[in-house]
Amino acid sequence: MHSFGYRANAVLTFAVTILAIICAIASLSDNFNNPSPTAHVQVLNVNWFQKQPNGDDVVSLTLNVSADLQSMFTWNTKQVFVFLAAEYETPQNSLNQISLWDGIIPAKEHAKFDIQTTNKYHFADQGANLRGREFNLTLHWHVMPKTGKMFADKIVMTGYHLPDRYR
Ligand SMILES: *[C@@H]1O[C@H](CO)[C@@H](O)[C@H](O)[C@H]1NC(C)=O
Ligand SMILES: *[C@@H]1O[C@H](CO)[C@@H](O)[C@H](O)[C@H]1NC(C)=O
């Protein structure tokens, strides 16, 4: 006769094994999801553009951020973290990356959006490098799964530039 403890242990081991298999399938099935997100960002307005007393350039923009990230969501997706970064080159640095806006998308229903917003974080350059500067806006995302490993990707939008004069 098996003792109660032995049987309980066997049931538990079985349950843990099944759970491990389900988790493996869940993260594996994510590999078969080929997301096709789209993003479009427009600079609606340059609200102000100044050289600060410390010599740094700072600019305030109003942005129209529209994106459809619904295809990233699978039944294994917990949430998606997104951020929009301005990326540009200066004589000092080959890549300057400044986060302008970010958000957490908790569910597929919220993954298609169109928002008008000023930059949530300062678009500031250490130096007076922003006049007439060309930049890219890159939408980065990190998909946080319920189980398995996190993955990240981005969409690069090119061809933006800042005004030649402070205003
Ligand atoms: C924002 O962009 C979307 C998609 O390109 C467009 O349909 C919408 O009219 C834009 N909104 C404004 C206020 O420009
Ligand atoms: C913008 O992105 C394109 C394509 O990735 C790249 O070739 C270009 O150098 C970038 N421009 C700036 C100003 O960073």
Side-chain angles (χ1 to χ4, degrees):
M1 278 298 275
H2 294 317
S3 72
F4 173 75
Y6 178 87
R7 268 180 283 150
N9 191 40
V11 166
L12 189 65
T13 305
F14 181 68
V16 168
T17 306
I18 293 292
L19 192 64
I21 291 170
I22 290 172
C23 287
I25 291 170
S27 62
L28 195 67
S29 72
D30 273 354
N31 295 331
F32 297 110
N33 183 42
N34 255 330
S36 50
T38 58
H40 187 80
V41 181
Q42 235 180 318
V43 177
L44 296 177
N45 192 38
V46 178
N47 304 317
W48 48 264
F49 181 24
Q50 287 165 4
K51 186 173 179 172
Q52 300 293 94
N54 66 4
D56 291 354
D57 277 352
V58 184
V59 59
S60 167
L61 304 172
T62 300
L63 303 167
N64 179 14
V65 184
S66 54
D68 184 352
L69 310 179
Q70 287 181 309
S71 60
M72 281 177 204
F73 281 78
T74 67
W75 60 283
N76 188 37
T77 307
K78 191 170 159 205
Q79 62 184 25
V80 174
F81 173 70
V82 287
F83 71 96
L84 183 72
E87 295 172 351
Y88 62 96
E89 292 163 22
T90 52
Q92 293 86 358
N93 295 304
S94 57
L95 176 67
N96 298 273
Q97 189 188 59
I98 298 172
S99 179
L100 300 182
W101 173 86
D102 62 15
I104 289 172
I105 304 169
K108 189 173 185 169
E109 304 86 87
H110 304 285
K112 190 174 177 190
F113 55 88
D114 180 12
I115 54 162
Q116 287 81 50
T117 178
T118 56
N119 44 298
K120 185 169 160 185
Y121 306 110
H122 273 309
F123 187 168
D125 180 74
Q126 290 179 337
N129 295 304
L130 294 184
R131 275 168 300 168
R133 182 66 56 198
E134 286 198 15
F135 65 102
N136 287 343
L137 287 173
T138 305
L139 190 74
H140 295 260
W141 61 85
H142 295 265
V143 179
M144 294 165 198
K146 287 175 182 151
T147 171
K149 59 178 191 301
M150 191 171 87
F151 57 98
D153 208 345
K154 63 184 179 182
I155 292 178
V156 181
M157 291 157 281
T158 60
Y160 300 88
H161 69 271
L162 288 168
D164 294 329
R165 292 162 179 274
Y166 298 121
R167 52 169 85 163

